Amino acid sequence: MHQQFGGRARHSVRAVVAGVSSIGQLNSETSITPLFFLSAFRTASVLNSIIDFSKDSDNVLLVRRLIVNPGTEMAWEIPLRAAKITLGRNDDNDVVLDDPSISGSHCVLFVSDSAVTIKDLGSANGIKLGQVLVDEAELPPGQLIEIGDVKLQYEASPAPANPLPQSVMMGKLNCRIHRRNLARYFCPQCQSAFCDLCVSSRNVQGRVAHVCRTCAVECTTLEIPLDETPPEKPFRRQILAAFAYPFLGDGTYSLVLGTIMLLLVSGATYLSRFAFIYGFTALVFLTVFSGGYVMSYSKLILTTTAEGKDEMPDWPEISDYSSDLVAPFFQMLGLITCCFAPAIAMIIFMGIQGNALGDTYIYGWCLYALILLGGFYVPMAFTGVAIFDSLAAVNPLLVIPSITRVIGTYLLTVSVLVIILVIRYLLGSFFSAYLKIPIVPDMIMGLIGLYLLIVEVRLLGLMYRTKKEELAWF
């Protein structure tokens, strides 16, 4: 029985090989552009290292695979599961490698219990083992292979006797990334547990494989008994319940505590303005603290909602100022800047041109339109940043197609968010005008503002949870 890759997987394979040919080895810290980030999201999902257990002559279980583009960030693996596997550029091959240097039917792999043999099928550029052209050869473990310009490496290593440590088998684990989410999968390579949001899912050979994004190894599904839950309600039927969400569980306590904390930060920020240099330093610190903490908590609410939880999470703990506060603050700053970049550019343009513009009526309307466009863009962009935990998710190549896939639900979500903003504005105006007691209006609006923010983020989490199949981010 031949190894079969579905059309979707073949398309992804072509993208990986073509990406390596044109991009080469990239430094993930310095060379990634917004366009490449989306390519990286798609590429990571095809790194399917499906474990195949075979036995060698000593009756030892082996994991056998062929690594394409070994040693690069674009590496991916071919599990050697079938007795005969053909490689080439044509669609009728078991593994399609869409590279100009690959012939239509380039080579074939014969897989047996004792050996793996590669054979040339009359290709134009042949097969090289090391620097030697061969027509047919048995592959030892670790052998480097070149077919055209594509590099391969054959690996055969002993399979772990028990990929799950005893501690994993005996109880529940939390996700390594989203620490408050229950883990569903365990990677035997990096020994880490992940929730549904942190693995790539692919239909391979008629089954769904959940793959670790870091190691490109198929994860083991954790056998954790789950309480039976009713089917997910449509988004529109959960909108009203979102307004009760901040009061569920310990939500009321968290809401009051959060309001007091933000008021103290606001008061300290006000006082710091009168302390000159030290005050400016304190102002910067408090701004980063409050902005980063609110952003971190908003992401936590969205991800726990997306995971299926229906109670407010506790306020996040601060173990490292840089990763827990500074990084979320700059995520928030970058999110706002990217979403409103066209409006910001228009403001700068109008400021530079000044009187040379003449009648600024049309430019003013263009500015309003760009601000509205940015506001329409923000909810999906923020959802992406929270789910991927990366500012790269503001990429229009991810956000715009996502909006179009769920346009009805997204329009409903944005409409509710606009209504909430109007309510906040009207309440703020009312208390400022009619409640003249010092500090009290700020306390009330701080509580209302935090409550409405939690509702807004909850709605975005529900939007993702009910439409994650259509969004197809993983």
Side-chain angles (χ1 to χ4, degrees):
M1 179 178 178
H2 287 201
Q3 177 180 3
Q4 297 296 327
F5 275 65
R8 185 177 180 184
R10 284 180 175 169
H11 176 76
S12 300
V13 169
R14 294 193 188 98
V16 174
V17 177
V20 173
S21 298
S22 59
I23 298 174
Q25 300 185 23
L26 293 176
N27 184 308
S28 60
E29 299 294 329
T30 60
S31 302
I32 295 179
T33 65
L35 179 60
F36 176 71
F37 259 108
L38 184 62
S39 175
F41 290 148
R42 298 186 181 278
T43 299
S45 65
V46 300
L47 302 182
N48 296 304
S49 58
I50 313 300
I51 297 178
D52 173 53
F53 295 109
S54 303
K55 294 183 179 181
D56 66 3
S57 57
D58 296 325
N59 204 36
V60 176
L61 288 173
L62 296 177
V63 180
R64 302 198 296 183
R65 58 199 183 275
L66 200 64
I67 304 174
V68 184
N69 309 314
T72 71
E73 294 180 359
M74 308 292 283
W76 57 282
E77 299 182 358
I78 303 170
L80 303 181
R81 303 169 65 88
K84 179 182 177 183
I85 304 171
T86 58
L87 294 84
R89 202 169 67 244
N90 291 342
D91 288 338
D92 57 355
N93 288 284
D94 298 321
V95 178
V96 178
L97 300 173
D98 193 6
D99 186 272
S101 65
I102 303 295
S103 297
S105 296
H106 199 104
C107 63
V108 61
L109 291 168
F110 295 102
V111 183
S112 66
D113 288 342
S114 59
V116 174
T117 302
I118 190 169
K119 181 179 180 181
D120 190 11
L121 296 178
S123 62
N125 293 318
I127 301 171
K128 288 183 180 179
L129 300 185
Q131 298 298 320
V132 181
L133 279 171
V134 298
D135 291 326
E136 183 174 353
E138 183 177 314
L139 299 177
Q143 176 66 59
L144 293 174
I145 310 158
E146 292 184 34
I147 56 173
D149 294 333
V150 178
K151 292 180 172 59
L152 310 170
Q153 184 172 9
Y154 170 64
E155 291 289 348
S157 56
N162 182 9
L164 288 178
Q166 190 66 20
S167 59
V168 175
M169 299 172 65
M170 293 176 61
K172 296 181 180 181
L173 289 176
N174 288 335
C175 175
R176 190 187 75 180
I177 307 300
H178 303 108
R179 298 181 182 178
R180 297 183 184 273
N181 291 355
L182 191 65
R184 300 282 188 264
Y185 307 99
F186 183 82
C187 175
Q189 180 83 5
C190 62
Q191 299 287 292
S192 298
F194 301 103
C195 65
D196 291 322
L197 303 176
C198 298
V199 294
S200 299
S201 300
R202 284 291 159 184
N203 190 336
V204 177
Q205 297 181 325
R207 68 186 185 89
V208 177
H210 302 282
V211 180
C212 174
R213 295 187 207 162
T214 303
C215 309
V217 172
E218 184 178 12
C219 295
T220 302
T221 301
L222 296 176
E223 298 294 335
I224 299 175
L226 300 175
D227 298 331
E228 292 188 4
T229 56
E232 186 72 37
K233 295 179 181 178
F235 173 75
R236 64 181 181 277
R237 295 181 58 186
Q238 300 192 59
I239 292 176
L240 291 179
F243 287 86
Y245 171 76
F247 303 108
L248 299 177
D250 296 330
T252 304
Y253 171 77
S254 298
L255 195 60
V256 173
L257 183 64
T259 302
I260 294 173
M261 181 193 69
L262 292 178
L263 283 173
L264 290 175
V265 171
S266 178
T269 301
Y270 176 78
L271 294 175
S272 67
R273 297 175 182 175
F274 304 99
F276 303 104
I277 299 298
Y278 294 107
F280 177 76
T281 303
L283 180 64
V284 172
F285 173 82
L286 291 170
T287 301
V288 173
F289 176 86
S290 58
Y293 200 69
V294 170
M295 180 67 173
S296 180
Y297 190 48
S298 298
K299 288 166 55 182
L300 179 61
I301 292 173
L302 197 150
T303 53
T304 53
T305 298
E307 181 70 10
K309 293 189 171 84
D310 291 319
E311 289 189 0
M312 281 261 292
D314 295 332
W315 286 89
E317 299 177 357
I318 303 175
S319 58
D320 180 72
Y321 183 78
S322 176
S323 60
D324 295 336
L325 294 175
V326 177
F329 173 79
F330 280 104
Q331 275 190 345
M332 178 183 68
L333 191 64
L335 172 69
I336 295 172
T337 303
C338 292
C339 292
F340 292 98
I344 295 172
M346 176 62 76
I347 293 173
I348 295 173
F349 172 76
M350 293 174 66
I352 293 175
Q353 295 297 319
N355 295 331
L357 293 176
D359 186 5
T360 59
Y361 179 78
I362 185 65
Y363 294 100
W365 278 106
C366 287
L367 178 59
Y368 292 142
L370 291 174
I371 292 174
L372 290 175
L373 181 64
F376 183 76
Y377 191 89
V378 165
M380 186 63 78
F382 173 74
T383 304
V385 169
I387 295 297
F388 287 106
D389 196 23
S390 170
L391 187 59
V394 302
N395 191 332
L397 295 178
L398 175 70
V399 175
I400 294 176
S402 298
I403 292 174
T404 58
R405 291 190 195 110
V406 294
I407 185 63
T409 300
Y410 191 69
L411 288 173
L412 178 58
T413 304
V414 172
S415 300
V416 177
L417 296 181
V418 169
I419 292 172
I420 291 174
L421 288 175
V422 172
I423 292 173
R424 178 186 286 138
Y425 172 77
L426 293 177
L427 289 175
S429 300
F430 173 81
F431 287 119
S432 298
Y434 297 102
L435 197 60
K436 300 298 184 180
I437 304 174
I439 302 177
V440 175
D442 291 335
M443 293 179 61
I444 295 176
M445 281 312 301
L447 180 64
I448 294 175
L450 182 59
Y451 163 76
L452 293 177
L453 174 65
I454 293 171
V455 172
E456 290 170 331
V457 177
R458 170 69 174 179
L459 288 169
L460 293 179
L462 290 172
M463 178 193 70
Y464 175 80
R465 191 167 90 186
T466 57
K467 294 295 179 180
K468 61 183 176 182
E469 298 299 329
E470 289 91 334
L471 289 171
W473 283 353
F474 299 105

